[in-house]
Amino acid sequence: MVLCSEGMVPVKVGFIGAGMMAGAMIRGLVSSKTCPADCVIASDAYQPCVDGLAEELGITSGGSNKDVALFADLIVLAVKPQMVEDVCADIKGSGTNPLVVSIAAGVTIESLEGWLGSSARVVRVMPNTPCLVGELAAAYAPNAACSAADAATVGSLLGALGTAFKVKEADLDAVTGLSGSGPAYVFQFIEALSDGGVRAGLTRPIATALAAKTVRGAATMVLQTGKHPGELKDQVTSPGGTTITGVHALEQGGMRAAVMNAVLAATARSRELGKK
């Protein structure tokens, strides 16, 4: 369904920054028909990125950040954190008042308001890399200037790319530690499963494929059944069997504590970066 404003007019979406994450978001929005191609514009310091997306998808190639600001109702800031202040100056200088959605890590709402103006409508988002394959797991936090309709618009936009939850900004550090950094933890787990398979005698391609499919299948079961992961684990651990023996080995290795500590460490680091 096309993303529309309260007046049922299609929302024009602009992207400042057209790298991998922005490109994945644009492809997802256009392919899902959430945003018609003629309602999307992008700009980037590296023009070939924008030109490639324009040729592939039919979106508008913006020559400057000001072009994006003058065109768009909603702007996604998809640039490096150190570039956000200058980009905000371009938006503010355009004389427009778009809904600004930032996916720049560590850039706070307070900073965005300082650069755009206290009345600016700002939403801070923490996405993750599975957005590249249409499996976004994200959270977003609107500022006080955003209306309920603004927040709903951002929720619908992100929802077209996967799953998104509205949270308080203070919770975004925990989101960073869990889903933002989480893909790396899962990649390590898949690698470890594969290594175990190779050690047990499987070829690397078979071991990696089985490991990745097992993780995807298990995750799908959690999401589709709604059952607690512990309950699903208990369903496949027969008394004295192979699975409970393997689970015991994981507990001896401290896997559960290691994963929890990884989330807490990444959360703490996110808080540190946000204060700089």
Side-chain angles (χ1 to χ4, degrees), residues 84-96:
V84 174
E85 183 175 2
D86 289 341
V87 169
C88 287
D90 290 338
I91 295 172
K92 187 175 182 180
S94 72
T96 61

Side-chain angles (χ1 to χ4, degrees), residues 205-216:
I206 290 176
T208 299
L210 286 173
K213 287 285 287 184
T214 297
V215 169
R216 184 169 75 174

Side-chain angles (χ1 to χ4, degrees), residues 59-74:
I59 68 167
T60 299
S61 174
S64 68
N65 297 339
K66 185 176 179 180
D67 289 340
V68 175
L70 292 172
F71 174 91
D73 305 307
L74 181 156

Side-chain angles (χ1 to χ4, degrees), residues 107 228 244 248:
V107 179
H228 190 282
I244 192 61
H248 183 204

Side-chain angles (χ1 to χ4, degrees), residues 230 232-252 256:
L232 293 171
K233 177 206 68 180
D234 288 347
Q235 290 177 358
V236 292
T237 49
S238 303
T242 58
T243 302
I244 192 61
T245 302
V247 168
H248 183 204
L250 289 174
E251 293 290 358
Q252 287 179 315
R256 189 190 304 264

